[in-house]
Amino acid sequence: SLVTNSSLITKVYFPRLIVPAAAAFSGLLDLLVASLLLWVLMLWYGILPGAASLFFPLFAALAFLCALGSGLWLAALNVQYRDIRYVIPFIVQLWLFSTPVIYPSSIVPQKFLWLVALNPMAGIVRAMRWCLLGTGSWDWLSFSVSLLVTCGLVVSGLYYFRRMERTFADVV
């Protein structure tokens, strides 16, 4: 996003953080539209969400922060090293398959659960399943690890982005 919008990046007073944040916000908007459709389909099929569904905005905000943190890292790295943009689809695909989206985390062997818990989206996806569908159980450990890793990703992404920001106009 930073390389494709290089004309904006070279402006002196343009807040460069807006460009990768806009990409994350578009994903959040997509989640909002898909969630509305999910709610309509759940009501159509007679599945009433429980009180736990009130936690959905919290989990959606955590997913947004995870996307923002990784987006900040990858945007700043892409400006410095242009070949990163060719690796990003492979990273995203690997991240998708390492996140228990299409499979339950219960099929992961016990000795590898700590590795799955380091994936910040694993705990968030499990929590979203719990709050919307009532499947699975609330796992404080995986959610806490996801929360800590997501916060670390956002803070370190902001730090790295801000540190590299002054060289963006020269490199782009």
Side-chain angles (χ1 to χ4, degrees):
S1 60
L2 291 175
V3 174
T4 57
N5 295 311
S6 61
S7 61
L8 292 174
I9 300 305
T10 56
K11 304 290 183 212
V12 176
Y13 296 113
F14 182 75
R16 293 170 185 94
L17 189 61
I18 289 178
V19 177
F25 272 116
S26 70
L28 187 63
L29 182 64
D30 184 38
L31 177 66
L32 177 68
V33 171
S35 298
L36 290 174
L37 183 63
L38 175 69
W39 285 82
V40 168
L41 287 174
M42 286 175 71
L43 293 174
W44 177 267
Y45 285 106
I47 301 171
L48 296 176
S53 65
L54 296 175
F55 289 107
F56 182 76
L58 170 72
F59 302 141
L62 284 174
F64 166 74
L65 287 176
C66 185
L68 178 65
S70 57
L72 290 173
W73 267 104
L74 292 173
L77 284 171
N78 189 37
V79 170
Q80 195 70 22
Y81 308 103
R82 296 295 171 94
D83 292 337
I84 291 291
R85 73 173 161 188
Y86 300 115
V87 178
I88 289 174
F90 297 110
I91 292 172
V92 169
Q93 190 172 22
L94 181 66
W95 198 358
L96 171 71
F97 289 131
S98 67
T99 304
V101 174
I102 57 174
Y103 60 92
S105 57
S106 60
I107 68 169
V108 177
Q110 189 69 26
K111 62 182 179 180
F112 295 119
L113 277 179
W114 68 272
L115 194 59
V116 172
L118 287 179
N119 179 353
M121 285 305 295
I124 296 169
V125 166
R126 187 172 182 176
M128 282 188 173
R129 279 186 183 148
W130 169 78
C131 83
L132 287 180
L133 304 175
T135 58
S137 61
W138 179 258
D139 185 13
W140 278 105
L141 181 63
S142 80
F143 181 73
S144 300
V145 170
S146 291
L147 183 64
L148 286 173
V149 172
T150 298
C151 289
L153 193 61
V154 170
V155 169
S156 65
L158 277 170
Y159 174 76
Y160 184 69
F161 188 88
R162 288 291 186 187
R163 199 178 104 215
M164 298 303 293
E165 187 175 23
R166 50 191 106 111
T167 64
F168 285 170
D170 299 332
V171 178
V172 169

